[in-house]
Amino acid sequence: MKQDASRNAAYTVDCEDYVHVVEFNPFENGDSGNLIAYGGNNYVVIGTCTFQEEEADVEGIQYKTLRTFHHGVRVDGIAWSPETRLDSLPPVIKFCTSAADMKIRLFTSDLQDKNEYKVLEGHTDFINGLVFDPKEGQEIASVSDDHTCSYPQNKRPVHMDRACLFRWSTISENLFATTGYPGKMASQFQIHHLGHPQPILMGSVAVG
């Protein structure tokens, strides 16, 4: 990683191809809070970022690539699982991706011999967002331009206006919220409960 003042960035990482999405791991389980993933036309790279505040011998920031995964199609979205841990033996890397072929891929790796992925199908249009259940990491939810939100607990997808963002509640795994897409002054905001076919709360919010 090197300094690059011309782009007003503190540091840059040289990549072999286009980068379409970058996602830091939001979970701090098992010393995995410094993990970063980025995806391109047909690959996903997993790496670590170490900051000077964490290691005295690091000057500014230090990046290290852990593994590159072949993806086969353009990566549009990445979501980390809370099951990811670097302090276990062997370590556990778990994440999912949304792709241009309207499919979700679930990756599991120990950064050694075990490198598996599973393809999840169901959407019929572009996938705008996906997220793991933040508590257990056993469920994945996604929203799409096909006007549905899909998740394993419900055999039938929830139909809605075109949704851009999805957030699972950290208070209850039965609650999640969706917002619409940028491009208009206000967007519909909906809160859903897995036990109800219709939204339990609707409102209008400004789109950033």
Side-chain angles (χ1 to χ4, degrees):
M1 193 169 282
K2 60 185 178 181
Q3 288 185 330
D4 188 352
S6 64
R7 296 186 179 181
N8 297 320
Y11 296 90
T12 62
V13 177
D14 292 327
C15 304
E16 296 182 0
D17 201 350
Y18 290 104
V19 176
H20 297 292
V21 60
V22 179
E23 195 73 36
F24 272 99
N25 178 23
F27 307 105
E28 297 183 357
N29 301 337
D31 194 32
S32 60
N34 61 344
L35 281 167
I36 186 173
Y38 64 88
N41 286 330
N42 57 13
Y43 69 93
V44 179
V45 175
I46 304 298
T48 58
C49 291
T50 305
F51 299 90
Q52 191 171 17
E53 294 81 1
E54 301 169 336
E55 298 287 344
D57 58 345
V58 173
E59 183 177 349
I61 185 173
Q62 184 179 77
Y63 170 81
K64 178 183 178 182
T65 296
L66 297 180
R67 182 168 291 276
T68 299
F69 296 88
H70 177 69
H71 198 265
V73 66
R74 189 189 71 213
V75 182
D76 292 323
I78 299 174
W80 284 97
S81 167
E83 292 184 296
T84 296
R85 302 186 67 93
L86 290 180
D87 64 346
S88 62
L89 292 176
V92 177
I93 299 292
K94 188 174 182 180
F95 63 94
C96 63
T97 63
S98 60
D101 60 359
M102 298 171 287
K103 298 177 183 178
I104 293 173
R105 289 165 173 79
L106 173 62
F107 289 81
T108 305
S109 173
D110 62 2
L111 299 178
Q112 298 174 24
D113 300 325
K114 180 182 178 182
N115 296 284
E116 304 172 347
Y117 80 93
K118 180 180 180 181
V119 178
L120 309 177
E121 302 184 40
H123 283 301
T124 59
D125 209 332
F126 184 82
I127 300 172
N128 296 309
L130 69 166
V131 66
F132 275 90
D133 162 20
K135 288 189 175 181
E136 302 295 334
Q138 296 297 312
E139 310 290 356
I140 304 170
S142 57
V143 289
S144 167
D145 277 356
D146 61 13
H147 302 274
T148 67
C149 171
S150 296
Y151 48 88
Q153 300 94 327
N154 195 334
K155 299 301 182 182
R156 294 179 300 173
V158 174
H159 290 268
M160 59 183 65
D161 288 340
R162 178 190 176 200
C164 181
L165 295 176
F166 181 102
R167 289 293 181 268
W168 214 307
S169 169
T170 57
I171 299 174
S172 170
E173 63 271 18
N174 292 321
L175 292 175
F176 65 91
T178 60
T179 63
Y181 59 96
K184 51 185 179 179
M185 295 300 294
S187 171
Q188 189 177 54
F189 171 77
Q190 298 181 348
I191 295 179
H192 304 262
H193 190 283
L194 296 182
H196 299 272
Q198 301 296 327
I200 61 176
L201 180 65
M202 297 177 61
S204 180
V205 295
V207 179

